[in-house]
Amino acid sequence: MLYRRAFFAFLGPLGAGLRAFPVEEVPEFRGATIGGRKFTRASLKGTPVLIQFWATWCGVCRRDQPAVDALVEEYGDRLTVLAVSVNESERAVRKYLANSPRKGQIVLSETTNLPAIFGARAFPHYVLLDADSRLKADVEGGIGGEGLRRLLKRVNL
């Protein structure tokens, strides 16, 4: 793994707080959205990036989806959200999206190297990069709206 994983420290009944270790800039990454928009680490610099690794069959991903969509709505162009569907066909993802539309930029794992860089094996899996492409958080598991908002405080949102 390229860095040490962030971890949860439970803070009472309201959920978890997140701590991450400082790291250098993440390696070069690239990809394309399901709509054909290409991106690289350099093209996303200047804006924090929230990467959500997910799968259509993942119930926890479905539970967190409205919270992720709300962030896309609220922060607009001040936050880039990449929703990376891991190891699923474009057909399966499009079928899912037809019944459960989502906001943000949908990316298939076959079109990006992000799952390999961040070791996405459990879902959902959230990675937060600051505007300079430095890792600010890496969390496996559902964290809901409150947990996502705590993550965004790490990039002053």
Side-chain angles (χ1 to χ4, degrees):
M1 191 83 35
L2 300 169
Y3 50 83
R4 296 156 97 187
R5 284 206 179 275
F7 60 95
F8 279 113
F10 288 97
L11 302 174
L14 293 178
L18 178 72
R19 294 186 290 191
F21 301 99
V23 297
E24 298 298 317
E25 196 171 58
V26 299
E28 275 300 321
F29 60 82
R30 70 201 171 309
T33 67
I34 201 166
R37 181 178 171 260
K38 294 185 180 201
F39 61 86
T40 63
R41 184 186 73 189
S43 73
L44 296 176
K45 266 196 172 182
T47 306
V49 177
L50 177 66
I51 304 166
Q52 178 199 35
F53 296 101
W54 66 287
T56 60
W57 49 263
C58 172
V60 178
C61 300
R62 285 184 187 158
R63 188 191 75 212
D64 277 8
Q65 183 176 325
V68 175
D69 288 348
L71 296 177
V72 173
E73 285 287 319
E74 181 177 345
Y75 291 104
D77 61 1
R78 295 184 304 151
L79 174 69
T80 299
V81 176
L82 300 174
V84 181
S85 174
V86 179
N87 296 329
E88 296 187 286
S89 71
E90 182 173 347
R91 182 177 178 198
V93 172
R94 286 190 183 276
K95 182 178 177 183
Y96 174 84
L97 294 173
N99 295 318
S100 298
R102 350 181 12 160
K103 300 188 185 307
Q105 300 177 55
I106 309 300
V107 180
L108 301 174
S109 60
E110 66 191 36
T111 66
T112 185
N113 61 339
L114 287 168
I117 290 172
F118 294 107
R121 291 181 290 276
F123 309 108
H125 177 166
Y126 297 99
V127 173
L128 181 64
L129 308 178
D130 70 10
D132 293 318
S133 298
R134 291 182 305 241
L135 181 71
K136 290 303 194 177
D138 179 5
V139 182
E140 290 180 345
I143 57 176
E146 187 175 325
L148 287 165
R149 291 191 182 285
R150 285 185 183 160
L151 287 184
L152 294 184
K153 286 181 182 178
R154 295 188 152 276
V155 293
N156 299 318
L157 288 177

